[in-house]
């Protein structure tokens, strides 16, 4: 399947934002997506993942049949589950190593470092059963569940799209009581990323990928209207974010806006966050399609695309670098005098992220010789 460079770039951008957002005292986290929109990189990552699922499913089913597509995504769900387990082990071991080196960090809960040493089998088992989802990796637990539903949901969606949409909306409406039924290690009910809420965004992305050739010609007839509406939604979201950032002086504005939007909850994916990311997808895909294609052809765009193409590997690297960056930040004394040190740490992490992803994407060049040298065939 021919890759879309702008799509890979946006996936890479989402992963970089996730890395920076998970560094509590980092500097560049103040200029990531969440500072300018009512949604953040998590929504972008899930929407793009759904879009890719829709595109791939249609291609595989057309060439190899539905059974091949179903098997492919069952295997993909297993791969994501294994990545969750491997990532949880690496996260806990890396956290333990940093504590051993007296490098404090708060990006992940300190108990993981203790459990992997004191109760390794229990730690791995609880992660594998998804009774526990270590923070920073909890979106992978969500992704396992979403991908696992694809072999059943996609045939229904492709044959009866309006029925699929209706079921998804109904599940989203009852997301919180449904999530409360999932046994979990958390003190709160269910999974942190509510799968019954986030499935609406994921399958919206799937529909965009699977049906884009059908509905885009229809939507383009109303392109001007949709662009103005989408821009209005994004500007409204920006006002909400600015009111949050201003704090107490803007409290009357925040209270007024809350009467319009209701509660804005990331973890169950409220309507405002959902409609905002959908509006942003239209702006990027239609009026800004050429600028984004141009950006994807630049050196920074190509670097982000390499990160995006790294898939699960890039996500796990993102988590490890978040922890390391947090630990490095905590070695720098607070205060404006150390602004450049903090900026250097953030920039170094972004460059390191790209370098690791670039090496991984070129593994066909160096892995076979390495295996031969080690006698592994």
């Amino acid at each position: 399947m021919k890759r879309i460079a702008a799509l890979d770039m946006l996936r890479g951008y989402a992963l970089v934002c996730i890395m920076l957002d998970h560094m509590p005292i980092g500097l560049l986290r103040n200029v990531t997506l969440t500072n300018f929109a009512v949604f953040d990189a998590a929504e972008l990552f899930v929407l793009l993942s759904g879009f890719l699922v829709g595109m791939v499913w249609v291609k595989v089913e057309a060439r190899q049949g539905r059974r091949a597509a179903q098997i492919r995504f069952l295997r993909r769900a297993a791969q994501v589950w294994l990545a969750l387990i491997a990532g949880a082990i690496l996260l806990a071991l890396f956290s333990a190593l940093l504590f051993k080196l007296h490098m404090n960090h708060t990006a992940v809960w300190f108990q993981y470092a203790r459990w992997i040493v004191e109760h390794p089998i229990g730690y791995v088992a609880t992660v594998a059963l998804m009774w526990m989802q270590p923070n920073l990796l909890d979106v992978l637990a969500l992704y396992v569940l979403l991908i696992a539903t694809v072999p059943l949901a996609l045939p229904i969606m492709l044959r009866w799209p309006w029925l699929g949409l209706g079921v998804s909306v109904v599940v989203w409406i009852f997301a919180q009581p449904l999530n409360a039924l999932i046994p979990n290690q958390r003190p709160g009910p269910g999974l942190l990323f509510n799968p019954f809420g986030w499935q609406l965004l994921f399958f919206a992305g799937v529909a965009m990928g699977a049906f884009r050739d059908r509905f885009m010609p229809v939507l383009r007839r109303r392109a001007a209207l949709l662009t103005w509406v989408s821009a209005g939604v994004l500007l409204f979201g920006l006002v909400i974010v600015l009111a949050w950032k201003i704090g107490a002086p803007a409290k009357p504005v925040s209270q007024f806006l809350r009467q319009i939007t209701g509660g804005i909850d990331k973890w169950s994916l409220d309507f405002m966050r959902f409609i905002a990311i959908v509006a942003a997808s239209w702006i990027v895909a239609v009026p800004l399609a050429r600028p984004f294609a141009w950006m994807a052809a630049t050196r920074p765009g190509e670097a982000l695309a390499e990160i995006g193409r790294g898939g699960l590997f890039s996500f796990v690297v993102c988590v490890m670098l978040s922890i390391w960056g947090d630990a490095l930040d905590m070695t720098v004394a607070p205060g404006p005098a150390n602004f450049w040190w903090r900026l250097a740490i953030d920039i170094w992490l972004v460059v390191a992220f790209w370098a690791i992803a670039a090496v991984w994407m070129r593994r066909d060049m160096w892995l076979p010789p390495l295996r031969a040298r080690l006698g592994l065939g």
Side-chain angles (χ1 to χ4, degrees):
M1 185 182 72
K2 184 179 179 181
R3 302 198 68 97
I4 302 174
L7 189 64
D8 288 330
M9 178 187 71
L10 285 170
R11 290 187 78 201
Y13 171 71
L15 287 168
V16 169
C17 286
I18 289 171
M19 178 185 73
L20 296 172
D21 286 340
H22 286 157
M23 294 163 53
I25 57 174
L27 191 64
L28 290 183
R29 75 192 306 267
N30 296 306
V31 294
T32 56
L33 181 61
T34 190
N35 294 279
F36 307 102
V38 77
F39 58 92
D40 62 24
E43 281 94 341
L44 178 58
F45 182 79
V46 171
L47 182 69
L48 292 174
S49 297
F51 187 87
L52 287 171
V53 167
M55 285 201 309
V56 171
W57 179 284
V58 170
K59 296 286 186 182
V60 173
E61 184 174 13
R63 295 175 182 174
Q64 304 174 36
R66 177 171 298 174
R67 182 59 60 86
Q70 290 173 319
I71 293 173
R72 175 166 181 155
F73 282 98
L74 284 174
R75 287 176 177 169
R76 184 59 176 172
Q79 290 171 351
V80 178
W81 177 69
L82 290 173
L84 171 64
I85 298 171
I89 294 171
L90 290 172
L91 174 149
L93 289 175
F94 189 43
S95 178
L97 174 63
L98 290 173
F99 281 129
K100 191 74 173 178
L101 297 174
H102 304 289
M103 296 186 70
N104 195 21
H105 51 281
T106 59
V108 291
W109 194 28
F110 71 93
Q111 287 284 14
Y112 305 140
R114 290 181 55 189
W115 289 340
I116 194 65
V117 175
E118 298 175 2
H119 310 287
I121 296 176
Y123 174 80
V124 173
T126 53
V127 171
L129 293 171
M130 295 206 303
W131 186 72
M132 178 178 70
Q133 308 89 41
N135 65 298
L136 305 192
L137 288 169
D138 36 23
V139 72
L140 279 188
L142 167 71
Y143 199 38
V144 170
L145 297 176
L146 294 177
I147 293 291
T149 64
V150 165
L152 177 63
L154 258 290
I156 297 173
M157 177 182 287
L158 292 175
R159 185 169 182 179
W160 301 291
W162 290 109
L163 174 63
L165 173 63
V167 171
S168 184
V169 170
V170 169
V171 170
W172 174 77
I173 290 172
F174 294 98
Q176 293 194 29
L178 288 172
N179 190 40
L181 299 176
I182 301 178
N184 198 260
Q185 167 259 346
R186 294 179 58 248
L191 275 65
L192 182 62
F193 279 91
N194 186 336
F196 301 101
W198 281 75
Q199 56 79 28
L200 180 63
L201 179 61
F202 176 75
F203 284 111
V206 171
M208 291 177 189
F211 296 118
R212 68 190 191 283
D213 293 336
R214 299 188 207 177
F215 66 66
M216 283 306 291
V218 177
L219 294 179
R220 286 184 183 276
R221 297 172 194 165
R222 300 287 185 270
L225 174 62
L226 289 172
T227 297
W228 280 107
V229 170
S230 297
V233 169
L234 294 179
L235 286 173
F236 182 68
L238 179 59
V239 172
I240 294 174
V241 172
L242 291 176
W244 288 343
K245 286 186 170 295
I246 293 171
K251 187 175 181 179
V253 177
S254 295
Q255 291 176 336
F256 173 74
L257 295 175
R258 187 179 178 86
Q259 293 177 357
I260 300 173
T261 64
I264 297 180
D265 175 27
K266 172 179 179 177
W267 310 116
S268 289
L269 190 66
D270 66 273
F271 181 74
M272 184 63 212
R273 293 178 76 102
F274 172 77
I275 201 68
I277 184 65
V278 171
S281 68
W282 173 264
I283 294 292
V284 169
V286 181
L288 296 183
R290 289 186 178 180
F292 270 83
W294 174 82
M295 285 189 288
T298 63
R299 291 299 300 166
E302 291 174 349
L304 287 173
E306 285 201 288
I307 293 173
R309 287 195 295 271
L312 291 173
F313 176 83
S314 286
F315 188 90
V316 174
V317 171
C318 162
V319 170
M320 298 302 112
L321 290 178
S322 295
I323 302 170
W324 195 6
D326 180 38
L328 291 174
D329 278 335
M330 295 190 75
T331 65
V332 180
N338 293 308
F339 171 89
W340 295 109
W341 279 111
R342 294 190 184 279
L343 180 61
I345 289 171
D346 287 354
I347 293 174
W348 182 86
L349 286 169
V350 174
V351 173
F353 197 178
W354 164 75
I356 295 169
V359 170
W360 175 252
M361 293 305 298
R362 292 164 175 78
R363 61 189 180 277
D364 289 343
M365 299 171 57
W366 55 265
L367 192 55
L370 178 61
R371 284 178 173 172
R373 184 173 299 178
L374 295 175
L376 300 177

